[in-house]
Amino acid sequence: MTNLSIIEDGRRWIASAKRSDRLEVGECCPRQPYIEIQIPKLASSVTRVTISTVSHDQGWSDEKDRYGGTYERSNTYFDIVVITPSCHDRVRSFIFQMNAHAVLEPRRHENIWNVESDDKTRCAWLQSTRGGDTIQIFPVARLQLWTNYVYEIEAKVEGVFHDQGKDLSSEIAHLQISPRADRLGIYKPLEEAHRQTRVLSLYPGNFEDPLICSIMTVSLDDPGHDAYEALSYCWGDLRTEETIQVREPLENSEGLAHDMAITSNLYEALKHLRPESGPPRNLWADAVCIDQTNFKERSHQVASMPSIYTEATRVVVWLGSNVNSPIRKKSLSTLRRIEKRFEDEYDVSKTYTSEEREQFESKIINAEIQNLINYTIDWNSCEFDWFRRTWVLQEISNARSAVFRCGFDELGSALVKGSNQPTGVLRSAIVPSIWFSIVQLGETSQGPHLMASEGILEILIKAHSLKATDLRDKLFALLQFSKESKDVTLSPRVRVDYSKTPLQVFTDFVRWWICTHRSLRILSAIHTLKGRSWQQLYYGEPPELKTLEYPSWCFWPVGDDRMASFILGLSRDAPYQASGSTIPDVELVNSPDISKTPHILQLSGHRLCTVTKIEPFPIWAFPDQPNELRDAFMKVFDPASSGRFLLPGTDGQDAQKLKEAIQNFLARHYTYHSRGFKGSIPYVPCLSPCFFVTDELGEQCYGLCPHNARPGDIVVLLYGGPVLYILREVNPGPGDEKVAGETTIDGKRYHFVGECFLSGHMNGQALTKVQEKGLGKEIFDLV
């Protein structure tokens, strides 16, 4: 828990946290922070960090005689991470403290960093941290048999608030264009019927000259429209603005110029892209070419972006400035050499097979990069935010051709595009994996080919790793990449519409998905959301579901795509059919009362039992548990050790060998803890308690539940659900009588906790039982 103190008449703040639980961490343990500190939302900067750790390693190693007592070759240490409110790393994590090598006695270490330090790396780290971020400290053990024994961590973070009286409400999800520019008529209405858009004409000038431009209207239906390039860039820090001058058309006025505010990142891009002489350079840049204050226009223009980028002569990708960044210059210089060799040695008259293409690429890359691991480390140090931006998937995939700019350095599109699907470690290292799963970046005679082979739900989950200034764009920017959502007849409920709030966008999306697929599989996706995975991956008590910024049943675009592998009912080929052949009641999902109570999702089904007690999974009895329970447990509680073994039924593995591999893994993991602080215990303490037993179904049944389940929650079967689910009855408080337009709370309401597993009831058995008993269906109101 973070303790916050306000000092110096509210100008400064101190946030602190301390934890003294003894904990041992081995290589198999889930990555979980030992301590977290919340930065105040209104903080303008962090000026000082103090971290004290008390810990040691296992006390022995094969190299104790050589390195014992030193910090060399130590494989136990502490990482520090800064997480944004959108669940992304603010900057790269780094190791800030090692344990002394093979020393059993606890040692206290203190690290102090401040913005006045000579350590530029730490200063940059402090300056990058922002209000609302979370600082996490992770104990780590890297190799087998190494163990990090933690006794205590205390951390204190200091900083300053924004200037008193500043209106912080202006820091919203997107930068508002100056209303003065709108009043003076710079933005003329666009004709949707002729697919009109605006283009920025950037006038020539020297680098330090003021930026001057004008805005013209073009029709994409006109084959002779003025040629333009489309700019692909990151908006950057919305708190920093620069000003450009926009001239009105001479035929409408005397060429008056008006100031317009843009982000500093766009300002830097335009300065570097402006011609020194000659005619203006025509560019399409969303922040200027779209009236951001006009929701209707913004919705239509965003929906037209595939055409806008396809019609552009090329796409110019702005990666940022390389001033004072030798690592960026070095990395791009290497890529330019690779590109030059591709151009010189690639035989355009030859038809390459995939294998020949890959061999050709590998030869070129290996000739220019002697150490690929070091190059990848250098590339990641460049911190090009562009590769993590949601919109770039659409912008680059619809490009006829592309060029990359970093400062004045330029690189061709070979960075992410090639004659075939990009291959090799190099491109995999510099491009997020989602690129290869939804977009084939190779050029064809018809232009880039969109694979559109995955469902929009799967795409949205993978997009957790991407960033967007506006949460609504985490859906709008990705609709074109799925066959089910790129259709021109797409339901108005899911179309691009910026007049809707993010909450409306995603509650509408969930309802649409359920009705379109006649399935509740989307409900399992909540286990990819921040703080809602099966295994607890944060420190502290689970947050109350009523404090979420979205309904407990709603998919929300803030989470971790890696958790998708550790969910029971999310996959299309999940081996469960708990509700048999039933489907959701579409009329309930689309209840006429949605407009009044959009936060409520009505689903029909049956109550099965109550969770009365939750305990750690009984590892000691693991071989005696039913196979399906074993498989489910290993499916959802394997985030740290994925790949060490395969689940039964995959790749034709021998069942006995798999069972032995799983038991060996559990034994090794258990060994870490049995010799540690807790001694010999019949469970693995780093895994969340998840095991419950129920006698309510006429026989004793074993169940598994996620980390945020509680005794008193109920297990239900919902029509259309591949698995069973856990709900928690809502106990309305004094202020809950009127919620979102309701006049009263009539009947029971439930929070959606998540999916669950009940042995012997995951393939229609539960439905058969309730039907045999003649139990009528219930309607559950989820909030």
Side-chain angles (χ1 to χ4, degrees):
M1 178 179 177
T2 301
N3 299 309
L4 182 64
S5 302
I6 311 298
I7 59 176
E8 295 183 9
D9 296 327
R11 292 190 298 271
R12 299 185 61 84
W13 55 267
I14 298 176
S16 62
K18 180 178 180 179
R19 181 182 176 189
S20 301
D21 299 331
R22 294 188 176 188
L23 181 71
E24 64 269 2
V25 176
E27 60 153 350
C28 301
C29 296
R31 182 173 169 84
Q32 182 179 15
Y34 183 86
I35 201 171
E36 295 182 340
I37 292 185
Q38 302 287 333
I39 304 301
K41 290 183 179 180
L42 301 186
S44 64
S45 63
V46 173
T47 58
R48 182 183 175 93
V49 172
T50 304
I51 303 174
S52 174
T53 62
V54 181
S55 60
H56 63 78
D57 67 12
Q58 69 285 341
W60 55 270
S61 83
D62 294 339
E63 298 179 301
K64 183 174 183 178
D65 292 342
R66 184 175 182 183
Y67 299 112
T70 74
Y71 294 95
E72 295 187 58
R73 300 290 182 91
S74 175
N75 289 300
T76 64
Y77 51 87
F78 294 89
D79 270 347
I80 188 165
V81 179
V82 179
I83 303 296
T84 69
S86 60
C87 209
H88 295 97
D89 290 353
R90 174 70 69 189
V91 291
R92 290 184 302 118
S93 64
F94 63 87
I95 300 171
F96 71 91
Q97 183 61 60
M98 312 284 290
N99 280 326
H101 189 120
V103 173
L104 194 58
E105 295 76 26
R107 287 192 180 182
R108 179 178 293 274
H109 299 94
E110 188 171 70
N111 290 268
I112 301 176
W113 315 318
N114 61 71
V115 291
E116 299 174 354
S117 169
D118 294 331
D119 188 331
K120 293 183 179 180
T121 301
R122 299 295 183 266
C123 286
W125 182 85
L126 289 168
Q127 292 169 356
S128 67
T129 306
R130 300 179 187 172
D133 287 349
T134 301
I135 295 178
Q136 299 177 324
I137 298 175
F138 293 85
V140 180
R142 183 167 52 189
L143 297 180
Q144 187 174 350
L145 300 181
W146 285 76
T147 309
N148 195 344
Y149 290 90
V150 187
Y151 292 77
E152 180 180 283
I153 296 181
E154 184 173 9
K156 182 171 68 174
V157 184
E158 303 173 50
V160 299
F161 284 112
H162 284 279
D163 295 337
Q164 294 294 315
K166 182 178 179 180
D167 181 13
L168 299 179
S169 63
S170 64
E171 294 181 25
I172 56 177
H174 60 275
L175 182 68
Q176 296 290 350
I177 300 299
S178 167
R180 179 187 175 207
D182 184 41
R183 285 199 308 269
L184 292 172
I186 289 178
Y187 289 129
K188 306 302 180 184
L190 297 176
E191 297 180 16
E192 295 182 11
H194 297 290
R195 295 199 303 154
Q196 286 187 339
T197 189
R198 301 186 187 91
V199 172
L200 175 72
S201 291
L202 187 59
Y203 296 165
N206 296 321
F207 185 76
E208 297 300 333
D209 290 344
L211 281 173
I212 301 175
C213 66
S214 62
I215 297 177
M216 63 177 178
T217 301
V218 300
S219 169
L220 299 181
D221 287 337
D222 179 6
H225 67 70
D226 290 310
Y228 65 91
E229 300 168 288
L231 184 61
S232 179
Y233 69 105
C234 296
W235 280 44
D237 189 350
L238 302 184
R239 298 175 297 183
T240 58
E241 297 179 4
E242 300 288 349
T243 301
I244 62 173
Q245 293 182 3
V246 182
R247 289 182 178 174
E248 294 185 35
L250 290 176
E251 63 270 20
N252 295 335
S253 67
E254 297 180 357
L256 296 177
H258 308 286
D259 290 342
M260 177 182 287
I262 61 174
T263 62
S264 57
N265 199 42
L266 176 56
Y267 181 80
E268 281 297 310
L270 296 179
K271 287 190 68 174
H272 283 83
L273 296 175
R274 171 174 53 185
E276 292 185 359
S277 59
R281 184 171 188 174
N282 292 339
L283 292 166
W284 189 91
D286 59 351
V288 177
C289 296
I290 300 175
D291 181 357
Q292 300 291 330
T293 63
N294 185 328
F295 290 146
K296 182 180 179 181
E297 177 187 301
R298 187 179 174 198
S299 301
H300 179 262
Q301 289 289 292
V302 166
S304 301
M305 279 178 60
S307 298
I308 292 172
Y309 276 82
T310 299
E311 288 290 325
T313 56
R314 68 174 181 175
V315 170
V316 179
V317 175
W318 173 250
L319 296 178
S321 174
N322 58 10
V323 176
N324 300 321
S325 181
I327 196 69
R328 286 188 172 187
K329 287 181 174 291
K330 175 185 174 183
S331 298
L332 289 172
S333 176
T334 301
L335 288 179
R336 280 200 304 274
R337 293 198 306 271
I338 292 174
E339 182 181 40
K340 182 65 167 59
R341 292 193 64 154
F342 264 98
E343 294 173 352
D344 293 343
E345 301 181 24
Y346 188 81
D347 187 352
V348 294
S349 65
K350 177 181 177 180
T351 300
Y352 289 85
T353 65
S354 297
E355 183 178 356
E356 289 172 337
R357 169 74 184 191
E358 186 172 350
Q359 291 174 351
F360 176 74
E361 286 187 341
S362 297
K363 183 187 73 171
I364 298 295
I365 292 171
N366 293 333
E368 294 295 341
I369 301 177
Q370 283 69 45
N371 190 318
L372 197 54
I373 294 178
N374 288 342
Y375 181 82
T376 302
I377 293 173
D378 287 346
W379 178 268
N380 289 329
S381 300
C382 294
E383 296 183 349
F384 290 125
D385 286 341
W386 182 85
F387 289 96
R388 292 291 175 185
R389 179 173 168 260
T390 303
W391 275 113
V392 303
L393 282 166
Q394 185 178 116
E395 294 165 358
I396 201 68
S397 65
N398 288 294
R400 296 182 185 179
S401 64
V403 63
F404 289 76
R405 287 289 298 269
C406 182
F408 290 109
D409 292 335
E410 186 167 299
L411 183 71
S413 59
L415 184 62
V416 293
K417 298 170 80 74
S419 296
N420 293 309
Q421 181 76 3
T423 60
V425 180
L426 176 62
R427 288 186 178 133
S428 298
I430 65 179
V431 178
S433 60
I434 186 175
W435 287 49
F436 304 114
S437 64
I438 68 174
V439 182
Q440 182 174 331
L441 294 173
E443 296 178 11
T444 66
S445 58
Q446 289 79 34
H449 171 60
L450 305 185
M451 296 172 69
S453 60
E454 290 196 275
I456 187 62
L457 175 61
E458 287 72 25
I459 291 172
L460 291 184
I461 291 171
K462 290 182 178 180
H464 279 321
S465 62
L466 302 178
K467 299 178 181 180
T469 306
D470 189 325
L471 284 180
R472 292 170 290 191
D473 290 339
K474 295 295 287 285
L475 175 63
F476 295 160
L478 299 170
L479 288 173
Q480 83 164 99
F481 295 110
S482 173
K483 290 179 180 177
E484 65 189 298
S485 58
K486 67 179 295 187
D487 195 321
V488 293
T489 61
L490 184 64
S491 167
R493 177 170 283 174
V494 196
R495 290 178 194 165
V496 177
D497 183 355
Y498 284 99
S499 67
K500 293 165 40 173
T501 65
L503 189 60
Q504 290 173 313
V505 167
F506 285 97
T507 54
D508 280 353
F509 168 74
V510 172
R511 295 181 194 279
W512 168 83
W513 195 96
I514 291 174
C515 295
T516 299
H517 293 267
R518 298 296 195 270
S519 168
L520 298 185
R521 188 164 58 86
I522 192 172
L523 295 184
S524 292
I526 66 101
H527 292 300
T528 68
L529 307 189
K530 180 180 180 181
R532 301 190 70 183
S533 55
W534 270 79
Q535 165 70 31
Q536 181 171 343
L537 298 175
Y538 56 89
Y539 171 65
E541 294 297 319
E544 293 287 343
L545 293 174
K546 65 181 180 180
T547 66
L548 297 174
E549 57 184 319
Y550 56 90
S552 61
W553 50 268
C554 181
F555 177 84
W556 197 243
V558 177
D560 188 341
D561 60 300
R562 294 169 297 181
M563 290 298 102
S565 299
F566 313 109
I567 300 175
L568 295 177
L570 180 60
S571 173
R572 293 176 179 175
D573 57 358
Y576 307 111
Q577 198 174 5
S579 65
S581 59
T582 62
I583 61 173
D585 188 331
V586 174
E587 292 185 0
L588 276 179
V589 174
N590 287 323
S591 168
D593 294 330
I594 288 177
S595 59
K596 296 180 180 179
T597 57
H599 64 292
I600 295 178
L601 177 66
Q602 290 189 319
L603 298 173
S604 55
H606 302 274
R607 180 191 180 281
L608 298 181
C609 60
T610 303
V611 177
T612 56
K613 187 177 182 181
I614 303 175
E615 299 177 335
F617 191 82
I619 296 295
W620 76 94
F622 192 77
D624 300 325
Q625 299 292 351
N627 287 344
E628 64 169 3
L629 182 64
R630 175 197 68 189
D631 297 348
F633 173 76
M634 298 311 299
K635 170 72 172 176
V636 296
F637 285 103
D638 181 39
S641 54
S642 179
R644 299 178 190 272
F645 54 85
L646 296 176
L647 291 175
T650 60
D651 294 347
Q653 295 283 313
D654 180 82
Q656 183 59 34
K657 289 183 178 179
L658 264 173
K659 185 175 181 179
E660 292 175 0
I662 294 173
Q663 290 173 343
N664 290 337
F665 159 77
L666 288 171
R668 189 166 80 246
H669 195 173
Y670 173 70
T671 300
Y672 280 109
H673 299 290
S674 64
R675 69 186 183 206
F677 294 128
K678 295 184 181 295
S680 182
I681 51 178
Y683 59 89
V684 177
C686 65
L687 298 182
S688 302
C690 65
F691 183 74
F692 69 92
V693 180
T694 179
D695 295 312
E696 292 183 57
L697 298 170
E699 58 181 320
Q700 191 174 68
C701 297
Y702 304 100
L704 299 175
C705 57
H707 81 273
N708 56 338
R710 299 175 184 171
D713 293 344
I714 64 171
V715 177
V716 299
L717 179 152
L718 298 177
Y719 291 167
V723 293
L724 302 178
Y725 303 100
I726 291 185
L727 307 182
R728 181 175 304 151
E729 186 176 347
V730 176
N731 296 314
D736 291 338
E737 284 78 9
K738 294 184 179 180
V739 180
E742 299 176 64
T743 55
T744 60
I745 290 186
D746 49 349
K748 294 182 179 180
R749 302 277 162 85
Y750 297 89
H751 282 134
F752 182 78
V753 178
E755 61 179 18
C756 74
F757 179 90
L758 196 59
S759 186
H761 292 78
M762 300 300 291
N763 285 288
Q765 300 95 326
L767 183 62
T768 299
K769 285 186 177 181
V770 297
Q771 290 174 342
E772 289 175 348
K773 294 180 180 179
L775 300 178
K777 69 178 181 181
E778 298 181 50
I779 295 177
F780 298 94
D781 288 359
L782 309 186
V783 294

